[in-house]
Amino acid sequence: MSTTRELRVGVVGAGMMGADHVARITDRITGATVSAIIEPDEQRAAAAIQASRGAQSFSRIEDALDAGAVDAVLIAVPGQFHEPVLLTTLEAGLPILCEKPLTADPESSWRILEAEQKRQHPLIQVGFMRRFDAEYRQLRELVAGGTAGRLLLLRCVHRNPAVPDSYTQEMLITDSVVHELDIAPWLADAAITSIEIRRGRRNSLSPAHLNEPLLVLIELDDGVLVDVEMNISVQFGYQVATEAVFEAGLARIGQPAGLQLWQDGRFQIAEQQSFRTRFQQAFDTEIQAWIGAARHATIAGPSAWDGYKVAVACAAGVQALSTPGAVPVELPEKPDFYAGA
Ligand SMILES: NC(=O)c1ccc[n+]([C@@H]2O[C@H](COP(=O)([O-])OP(=O)(O)OC[C@H]3O[C@@H](n4cnc5c(N)ncnc54)[C@H](O)[C@@H]3O)[C@@H](O)[C@H]2O)c1
């Protein structure tokens, strides 16, 4: 692949996340252009084509590949549809940014690992964008550096103002806690060994079919305990924050950092309203890093193995929704293929 011309990215799925990535690559990212929109919904496809300033439109990934229209593929269809798009793109040997989750369950994620290992090196980067957030990176460095002593606890909150009716009880784990299942072990440089879920008083403002908030307790293999308040009906705004408790110190990330206003005897600070504002910088950094790596047919972030690990943890988390006590999380040995990823 030429290193001088812009990387031609095909975006598969132009819904909420895909449209966001099209705007990002077109307006803020350097070294790449959106050359193809692969989206069966005509209205969404048309809006994305317009935002991309001239991408070609396809309804199937196979057609975009046959037309030679793309150098790399960004997958932003719902998780249950990732597997066929991943397999087809792997077969073509193109670099991939796959929005989280890798796939919907450990079995299909394992099939992706098997297919990827037929290539020369990893081609799939999974969209766990928190790893590109400046504060999460600082916290990871603090843990690794040990200047505040050893890490003891991670206290996480994940709060949404509200969710659409299509959001299910399982999605509390597979769509939301999924991020903590990647980032907590990454921060601590450790592996998840078990997950337990407790529920107390239900929020009467939650959609009728949901029973939340949840308290998710995650054990890591180095003794660090992680608790996550998963709370999707808080009404007031969007908060993703972590408090890290060390032997000799405390660190907080994800605190409100918007406009501060003193008026009428009150002090106010603007709160985030959605993941898009909270993580805009992280998404931009993630996609810029991926574009740089994809130009050399490689990856610059979480691999398919990381995606597989999270799929296994998610399955345990879903089981823990209906099983009292801690559900163990067991992984097979990491394939050598992913040693450097
Ligand atoms: N990183 C994050 O924080 C974050 C946030 C939101 C969504 N996501 C992920 O982004 C992905 C998309 O989520 P969304 O909320 O944008 O979904 P969405 O439902 O808004 O959009 C999905 C789009 O994909 C299209 N589509 C479905 N099957 C297709 C196929 N086979 N080929 C091409 N297009 C197809 C649909 O027509 C739809 O327009 C999911 O994997 C989701 O988990 C990640």
Side-chain angles (χ1 to χ4, degrees), residues 98-140:
C98 178
E99 259 305 338
K100 64 82 191 162
L102 177 61
T103 65
D105 54 65
E107 294 73 26
S108 53
S109 286
W110 186 257
R111 289 195 288 273
I112 299 300
L113 294 187
E114 287 180 330
E116 189 175 38
Q117 287 172 76
K118 294 189 180 128
R119 311 306 314 184
Q120 282 182 324
H121 52 80
L123 288 173
I124 302 171
Q125 180 171 330
V126 184
F128 290 117
M129 78 296 180
R130 289 190 192 178
R131 295 191 187 198
F132 294 88
D133 176 79
E135 288 186 325
Y136 275 107
R137 288 183 161 206
Q138 274 180 292
L139 182 54
R140 188 167 191 258

CSV table of all heavy atoms in Angstrom, one decimal, residues 98-140:
chain,number,residue,atom,x,y,z
A,98,CYS,N,-12.8,-2.7,14.3
A,98,CYS,CA,-14.1,-3.3,14.6
A,98,CYS,C,-14.6,-2.6,15.9
A,98,CYS,O,-14.0,-2.8,16.9
A,98,CYS,CB,-14.0,-4.8,14.8
A,98,CYS,SG,-15.6,-5.6,15.2
A,99,GLU,N,-15.8,-1.9,15.8
A,99,GLU,CA,-16.4,-1.3,17.0
A,99,GLU,C,-16.6,-2.4,18.0
A,99,GLU,O,-16.8,-3.6,17.6
A,99,GLU,CB,-17.7,-0.7,16.6
A,99,GLU,CG,-17.6,0.9,16.5
A,99,GLU,CD,-17.0,1.5,17.7
A,99,GLU,OE1,-17.0,0.9,18.8
A,99,GLU,OE2,-16.5,2.6,17.6
A,100,LYS,N,-16.6,-2.1,19.3
A,100,LYS,CA,-16.8,-3.1,20.3
A,100,LYS,C,-18.3,-3.5,20.2
A,100,LYS,O,-19.1,-2.7,19.8
A,100,LYS,CB,-16.5,-2.5,21.7
A,100,LYS,CG,-17.4,-1.3,22.1
A,100,LYS,CD,-18.7,-1.8,22.7
A,100,LYS,CE,-19.6,-0.7,22.9
A,100,LYS,NZ,-21.0,-1.1,23.1
A,101,PRO,N,-18.6,-4.8,20.5
A,101,PRO,CA,-17.7,-5.9,20.9
A,101,PRO,C,-17.2,-6.5,19.7
A,101,PRO,O,-17.6,-6.3,18.6
A,101,PRO,CB,-18.7,-6.8,21.6
A,101,PRO,CG,-20.0,-6.7,20.8
A,101,PRO,CD,-20.1,-5.2,20.5
A,102,LEU,N,-16.1,-7.4,19.9
A,102,LEU,CA,-15.6,-8.1,18.7
A,102,LEU,C,-16.7,-8.8,18.0
A,102,LEU,O,-17.0,-8.6,16.8
A,102,LEU,CB,-14.5,-9.0,19.1
A,102,LEU,CG,-13.9,-9.9,18.0
A,102,LEU,CD1,-13.2,-9.0,16.9
A,102,LEU,CD2,-12.8,-10.9,18.6
A,103,THR,N,-17.4,-9.7,18.8
A,103,THR,CA,-18.6,-10.4,18.3
A,103,THR,C,-19.5,-10.6,19.6
A,103,THR,O,-19.1,-10.2,20.7
A,103,THR,CB,-18.4,-11.8,17.7
A,103,THR,OG1,-17.8,-12.6,18.7
A,103,THR,CG2,-17.4,-11.7,16.5
A,104,ALA,N,-20.7,-11.2,19.4
A,104,ALA,CA,-21.6,-11.2,20.5
A,104,ALA,C,-21.4,-12.3,21.5
A,104,ALA,O,-22.0,-12.3,22.6
A,104,ALA,CB,-23.0,-11.4,19.8
A,105,ASP,N,-20.5,-13.3,21.2
A,105,ASP,CA,-20.3,-14.4,22.2
A,105,ASP,C,-18.9,-15.0,22.0
A,105,ASP,O,-18.3,-14.8,21.0
A,105,ASP,CB,-21.4,-15.5,22.1
A,105,ASP,CG,-21.5,-16.0,20.7
A,105,ASP,OD1,-20.5,-16.6,20.2
A,105,ASP,OD2,-22.5,-15.8,20.0
A,106,PRO,N,-18.4,-15.7,23.0
A,106,PRO,CA,-17.0,-16.2,23.0
A,106,PRO,C,-16.8,-17.2,21.8
A,106,PRO,O,-15.7,-17.2,21.2
A,106,PRO,CB,-16.9,-17.0,24.3
A,106,PRO,CG,-17.9,-16.5,25.2
A,106,PRO,CD,-19.1,-16.0,24.4
A,107,GLU,N,-17.9,-18.0,21.5
A,107,GLU,CA,-17.7,-19.0,20.4
A,107,GLU,C,-17.4,-18.3,19.0
A,107,GLU,O,-16.5,-18.7,18.3
A,107,GLU,CB,-18.9,-19.9,20.3
A,107,GLU,CG,-19.2,-20.8,21.5
A,107,GLU,CD,-19.7,-20.0,22.7
A,107,GLU,OE1,-20.3,-18.9,22.5
A,107,GLU,OE2,-19.5,-20.5,23.8
A,108,SER,N,-18.2,-17.3,18.7
A,108,SER,CA,-18.0,-16.6,17.4
A,108,SER,C,-16.7,-15.8,17.5
A,108,SER,O,-15.9,-15.7,16.5
A,108,SER,CB,-19.2,-15.7,17.1
A,108,SER,OG,-19.5,-14.8,18.1
A,109,SER,N,-16.3,-15.2,18.7
A,109,SER,CA,-15.0,-14.5,18.8
A,109,SER,C,-13.9,-15.5,18.6
A,109,SER,O,-12.9,-15.1,17.9
A,109,SER,CB,-14.9,-13.8,20.2
A,109,SER,OG,-15.8,-12.7,20.2
A,110,TRP,N,-14.0,-16.7,19.1
A,110,TRP,CA,-12.9,-17.7,18.8
A,110,TRP,C,-12.8,-18.0,17.4
A,110,TRP,O,-11.7,-18.1,16.8
A,110,TRP,CB,-13.2,-18.9,19.7
A,110,TRP,CG,-12.1,-19.9,19.6
A,110,TRP,CD1,-12.0,-21.0,18.9
A,110,TRP,CD2,-10.8,-19.8,20.3
A,110,TRP,NE1,-10.8,-21.7,19.0
A,110,TRP,CE2,-10.0,-20.9,19.9
A,110,TRP,CE3,-10.3,-18.8,21.2
A,110,TRP,CZ2,-8.7,-21.1,20.4
A,110,TRP,CZ3,-9.0,-19.0,21.6
A,110,TRP,CH2,-8.2,-20.2,21.3
A,111,ARG,N,-13.9,-18.1,16.7
A,111,ARG,CA,-13.8,-18.3,15.2
A,111,ARG,C,-13.1,-17.2,14.5
A,111,ARG,O,-12.3,-17.4,13.5
A,111,ARG,CB,-15.3,-18.5,14.6
A,111,ARG,CG,-16.0,-19.8,15.0
A,111,ARG,CD,-17.2,-20.0,14.1
A,111,ARG,NE,-18.3,-19.1,14.4
A,111,ARG,CZ,-19.2,-19.3,15.3
A,111,ARG,NH1,-19.2,-20.4,16.1
A,111,ARG,NH2,-20.2,-18.5,15.4
A,112,ILE,N,-13.3,-16.0,15.0
A,112,ILE,CA,-12.6,-14.8,14.4
A,112,ILE,C,-11.0,-15.0,14.6
A,112,ILE,O,-10.2,-14.8,13.7
A,112,ILE,CB,-13.1,-13.5,15.0
A,112,ILE,CG1,-14.5,-13.3,14.7
A,112,ILE,CG2,-12.2,-12.3,14.5
A,112,ILE,CD1,-14.9,-13.3,13.2
A,113,LEU,N,-10.7,-15.4,15.9
A,113,LEU,CA,-9.3,-15.6,16.2
A,113,LEU,C,-8.7,-16.7,15.2
A,113,LEU,O,-7.5,-16.5,14.7
A,113,LEU,CB,-9.1,-16.1,17.6
A,113,LEU,CG,-9.4,-15.1,18.7
A,113,LEU,CD1,-9.0,-15.7,20.1
A,113,LEU,CD2,-8.8,-13.7,18.5
A,114,GLU,N,-9.4,-17.7,15.0
A,114,GLU,CA,-8.9,-18.8,14.1
A,114,GLU,C,-8.7,-18.3,12.7
A,114,GLU,O,-7.7,-18.6,12.1
A,114,GLU,CB,-9.9,-20.0,14.1
A,114,GLU,CG,-9.9,-20.8,15.4
A,114,GLU,CD,-10.8,-22.0,15.4
A,114,GLU,OE1,-11.9,-21.9,14.8
A,114,GLU,OE2,-10.5,-22.9,16.1
A,115,ALA,N,-9.7,-17.5,12.2
A,115,ALA,CA,-9.5,-17.0,10.9
A,115,ALA,C,-8.4,-16.0,10.8
A,115,ALA,O,-7.6,-16.0,9.8
A,115,ALA,CB,-10.9,-16.3,10.5
A,116,GLU,N,-8.2,-15.2,11.8
A,116,GLU,CA,-7.2,-14.1,11.8
A,116,GLU,C,-5.8,-14.8,11.8
A,116,GLU,O,-4.8,-14.3,11.1
A,116,GLU,CB,-7.3,-13.2,12.9
A,116,GLU,CG,-6.4,-12.0,12.8
A,116,GLU,CD,-6.6,-10.9,13.9
A,116,GLU,OE1,-6.8,-11.3,15.0
A,116,GLU,OE2,-6.5,-9.7,13.6
A,117,GLN,N,-5.7,-15.9,12.5
A,117,GLN,CA,-4.4,-16.6,12.6
A,117,GLN,C,-3.9,-17.2,11.3
A,117,GLN,O,-2.8,-17.6,11.2
A,117,GLN,CB,-4.4,-17.6,13.7
A,117,GLN,CG,-4.4,-16.9,15.1
A,117,GLN,CD,-4.6,-17.9,16.2
A,117,GLN,OE1,-3.7,-18.6,16.6
A,117,GLN,NE2,-5.8,-17.9,16.8
A,118,LYS,N,-4.8,-17.2,10.3
A,118,LYS,CA,-4.4,-17.7,9.0
A,118,LYS,C,-3.7,-16.6,8.2
A,118,LYS,O,-3.0,-16.8,7.2
A,118,LYS,CB,-5.6,-18.1,8.1
A,118,LYS,CG,-6.2,-19.4,8.8
A,118,LYS,CD,-7.3,-20.0,7.9
A,118,LYS,CE,-7.9,-21.2,8.5
A,118,LYS,NZ,-9.3,-21.2,8.6
A,119,ARG,N,-3.8,-15.3,8.7
A,119,ARG,CA,-3.1,-14.2,8.1
A,119,ARG,C,-1.7,-14.2,8.7
A,119,ARG,O,-1.3,-14.9,9.6
A,119,ARG,CB,-3.8,-12.9,8.4
A,119,ARG,CG,-5.3,-12.8,8.1
A,119,ARG,CD,-5.7,-13.2,6.7
A,119,ARG,NE,-4.9,-12.7,5.6
A,119,ARG,CZ,-5.2,-12.8,4.3
A,119,ARG,NH1,-6.2,-13.6,4.0
A,119,ARG,NH2,-4.5,-12.3,3.4
A,120,GLN,N,-0.8,-13.3,8.1
A,120,GLN,CA,0.6,-13.2,8.6
A,120,GLN,C,0.7,-12.6,10.0
A,120,GLN,O,1.6,-12.9,10.8
A,120,GLN,CB,1.4,-12.4,7.6
A,120,GLN,CG,1.8,-13.3,6.4
A,120,GLN,CD,2.7,-12.5,5.5
A,120,GLN,OE1,2.5,-11.3,5.3
A,120,GLN,NE2,3.6,-13.2,4.8
A,121,HIS,N,-0.2,-11.6,10.3
A,121,HIS,CA,-0.1,-10.9,11.6
A,121,HIS,C,-1.5,-10.3,11.8
A,121,HIS,O,-2.3,-10.3,10.9
A,121,HIS,CB,1.0,-9.9,11.6
A,121,HIS,CG,0.9,-8.9,10.4
A,121,HIS,ND1,0.0,-7.9,10.4
A,121,HIS,CD2,1.5,-8.9,9.2
A,121,HIS,CE1,0.1,-7.2,9.2
A,121,HIS,NE2,1.0,-7.9,8.5
A,122,PRO,N,-1.7,-9.9,13.1
A,122,PRO,CA,-3.1,-9.4,13.4
A,122,PRO,C,-3.5,-8.2,12.5
A,122,PRO,O,-2.7,-7.3,12.3
A,122,PRO,CB,-2.9,-8.9,14.9
A,122,PRO,CG,-1.8,-9.8,15.4
A,122,PRO,CD,-0.8,-9.9,14.3
A,123,LEU,N,-4.8,-8.3,12.1
A,123,LEU,CA,-5.3,-7.2,11.2
A,123,LEU,C,-6.5,-6.5,11.9
A,123,LEU,O,-6.9,-5.5,11.4
A,123,LEU,CB,-5.9,-7.8,9.9
A,123,LEU,CG,-4.8,-8.3,8.9
A,123,LEU,CD1,-5.5,-9.1,7.8
A,123,LEU,CD2,-4.0,-7.2,8.4
A,124,ILE,N,-7.0,-7.1,13.0
A,124,ILE,CA,-8.2,-6.5,13.7
A,124,ILE,C,-7.8,-5.7,14.9
A,124,ILE,O,-7.2,-6.2,15.8
A,124,ILE,CB,-9.1,-7.6,14.1
A,124,ILE,CG1,-9.5,-8.5,12.9
A,124,ILE,CG2,-10.4,-7.0,14.8
A,124,ILE,CD1,-10.3,-9.8,13.3
A,125,GLN,N,-8.2,-4.4,14.9
A,125,GLN,CA,-8.2,-3.6,16.1
A,125,GLN,C,-9.6,-3.5,16.6
A,125,GLN,O,-10.5,-3.2,15.8
A,125,GLN,CB,-7.6,-2.3,15.8
A,125,GLN,CG,-7.5,-1.4,17.1
A,125,GLN,CD,-6.7,-0.1,16.8
A,125,GLN,OE1,-5.7,-0.1,16.0
A,125,GLN,NE2,-7.0,1.0,17.5
A,126,VAL,N,-9.9,-3.7,17.9
A,126,VAL,CA,-11.2,-3.6,18.5
A,126,VAL,C,-11.4,-2.2,19.1
A,126,VAL,O,-10.5,-1.7,19.8
A,126,VAL,CB,-11.5,-4.7,19.5
A,126,VAL,CG1,-12.9,-4.7,20.0
A,126,VAL,CG2,-11.2,-6.1,18.8
A,127,GLY,N,-12.6,-1.6,18.9
A,127,GLY,CA,-12.8,-0.2,19.3
A,127,GLY,C,-13.1,0.0,20.8
A,127,GLY,O,-14.1,0.7,21.1
A,128,PHE,N,-12.2,-0.4,21.6
A,128,PHE,CA,-12.3,-0.1,23.1
A,128,PHE,C,-11.6,1.3,23.2
A,128,PHE,O,-10.4,1.3,23.5
A,128,PHE,CB,-11.7,-1.1,23.9
A,128,PHE,CG,-12.5,-2.4,24.0
A,128,PHE,CD1,-12.0,-3.6,23.5
A,128,PHE,CD2,-13.8,-2.4,24.5
A,128,PHE,CE1,-12.8,-4.7,23.6
A,128,PHE,CE2,-14.6,-3.5,24.6
A,128,PHE,CZ,-14.1,-4.7,24.1
A,129,MET,N,-12.3,2.4,22.9
A,129,MET,CA,-11.7,3.7,22.8
A,129,MET,C,-11.2,4.3,24.1
A,129,MET,O,-10.3,5.2,24.1
A,129,MET,CB,-12.6,4.6,22.1
A,129,MET,CG,-13.7,5.2,23.0
A,129,MET,SD,-14.8,3.9,23.6
A,129,MET,CE,-16.0,4.9,24.5
A,130,ARG,N,-11.6,3.7,25.3
A,130,ARG,CA,-11.2,4.3,26.5
A,130,ARG,C,-9.7,4.2,26.7
A,130,ARG,O,-9.0,5.0,27.3
A,130,ARG,CB,-11.8,3.6,27.7
A,130,ARG,CG,-13.3,3.9,27.9
A,130,ARG,CD,-13.8,3.4,29.2
A,130,ARG,NE,-15.2,3.4,29.2
A,130,ARG,CZ,-15.9,3.0,30.2
A,130,ARG,NH1,-15.3,2.5,31.3
A,130,ARG,NH2,-17.3,3.1,30.2
A,131,ARG,N,-9.1,3.2,26.0
A,131,ARG,CA,-7.6,3.0,26.1
A,131,ARG,C,-6.9,4.2,25.5
A,131,ARG,O,-5.7,4.4,25.6
A,131,ARG,CB,-7.1,1.8,25.4
A,131,ARG,CG,-7.7,0.5,26.0
A,131,ARG,CD,-6.9,-0.7,25.4
A,131,ARG,NE,-7.4,-2.0,25.9
A,131,ARG,CZ,-6.8,-3.1,25.7
A,131,ARG,NH1,-5.6,-3.1,25.2
A,131,ARG,NH2,-7.3,-4.2,26.1
A,132,PHE,N,-7.6,5.1,24.7
A,132,PHE,CA,-7.0,6.2,24.1
A,132,PHE,C,-7.4,7.5,24.8
A,132,PHE,O,-7.0,8.6,24.3
A,132,PHE,CB,-7.4,6.3,22.6
A,132,PHE,CG,-6.9,5.1,21.8
A,132,PHE,CD1,-7.6,3.9,21.7
A,132,PHE,CD2,-5.6,5.2,21.2
A,132,PHE,CE1,-7.1,2.8,21.0
A,132,PHE,CE2,-5.1,4.1,20.5
A,132,PHE,CZ,-5.8,2.9,20.4
A,133,ASP,N,-8.1,7.4,25.9
A,133,ASP,CA,-8.5,8.6,26.7
A,133,ASP,C,-7.3,9.0,27.5
A,133,ASP,O,-6.6,8.2,28.2
A,133,ASP,CB,-9.7,8.2,27.6
A,133,ASP,CG,-10.0,9.4,28.5
A,133,ASP,OD1,-10.7,10.3,28.0
A,133,ASP,OD2,-9.7,9.3,29.7
A,134,ALA,N,-7.0,10.3,27.5
A,134,ALA,CA,-5.8,10.8,28.1
A,134,ALA,C,-5.7,10.5,29.6
A,134,ALA,O,-4.7,10.1,30.2
A,134,ALA,CB,-5.6,12.3,27.9
A,135,GLU,N,-6.9,10.6,30.3
A,135,GLU,CA,-6.9,10.3,31.7
A,135,GLU,C,-6.7,8.9,32.0
A,135,GLU,O,-6.0,8.5,33.0
A,135,GLU,CB,-8.2,10.8,32.3
A,135,GLU,CG,-8.3,12.3,32.4
A,135,GLU,CD,-9.6,12.8,33.2
A,135,GLU,OE1,-10.6,12.1,33.1
A,135,GLU,OE2,-9.5,13.8,33.9
A,136,TYR,N,-7.3,8.0,31.3
A,136,TYR,CA,-7.1,6.6,31.5
A,136,TYR,C,-5.7,6.2,31.3
A,136,TYR,O,-5.1,5.4,32.0
A,136,TYR,CB,-8.0,5.7,30.6
A,136,TYR,CG,-9.4,5.5,31.1
A,136,TYR,CD1,-10.5,6.1,30.5
A,136,TYR,CD2,-9.7,4.6,32.1
A,136,TYR,CE1,-11.8,5.9,30.9
A,136,TYR,CE2,-11.0,4.4,32.6
A,136,TYR,CZ,-12.0,5.0,32.0
A,136,TYR,OH,-13.3,4.8,32.4
A,137,ARG,N,-5.0,6.8,30.3
A,137,ARG,CA,-3.6,6.5,30.1
A,137,ARG,C,-2.7,7.0,31.2
A,137,ARG,O,-1.8,6.3,31.6
A,137,ARG,CB,-3.2,7.2,28.8
A,137,ARG,CG,-3.8,6.5,27.6
A,137,ARG,CD,-3.3,7.1,26.3
A,137,ARG,NE,-3.5,6.2,25.2
A,137,ARG,CZ,-2.9,6.1,24.1
A,137,ARG,NH1,-1.9,6.9,23.8
A,137,ARG,NH2,-3.2,5.2,23.2
A,138,GLN,N,-3.1,8.2,31.7
A,138,GLN,CA,-2.3,8.7,32.9
A,138,GLN,C,-2.4,7.8,34.1
A,138,GLN,O,-1.5,7.5,34.8
A,138,GLN,CB,-2.8,10.1,33.3
A,138,GLN,CG,-2.2,11.2,32.5
A,138,GLN,CD,-2.8,12.5,33.0
A,138,GLN,OE1,-4.0,12.8,32.8
A,138,GLN,NE2,-2.0,13.3,33.7
A,139,LEU,N,-3.7,7.3,34.3
A,139,LEU,CA,-3.9,6.4,35.4
A,139,LEU,C,-3.2,5.1,35.3
A,139,LEU,O,-2.6,4.6,36.2
A,139,LEU,CB,-5.4,6.1,35.6
A,139,LEU,CG,-5.8,5.3,36.8
A,139,LEU,CD1,-5.3,5.8,38.1
A,139,LEU,CD2,-7.4,5.2,36.8
A,140,ARG,N,-3.1,4.6,34.1
A,140,ARG,CA,-2.4,3.3,33.8
A,140,ARG,C,-0.9,3.5,34.1
A,140,ARG,O,-0.3,2.6,34.7
A,140,ARG,CB,-2.6,2.9,32.4
A,140,ARG,CG,-2.0,1.5,32.1
A,140,ARG,CD,-2.5,1.0,30.8
A,140,ARG,NE,-2.2,-0.4,30.6
A,140,ARG,CZ,-1.3,-0.9,29.8
A,140,ARG,NH1,-0.4,0.0,29.2
A,140,ARG,NH2,-1.1,-2.2,29.7
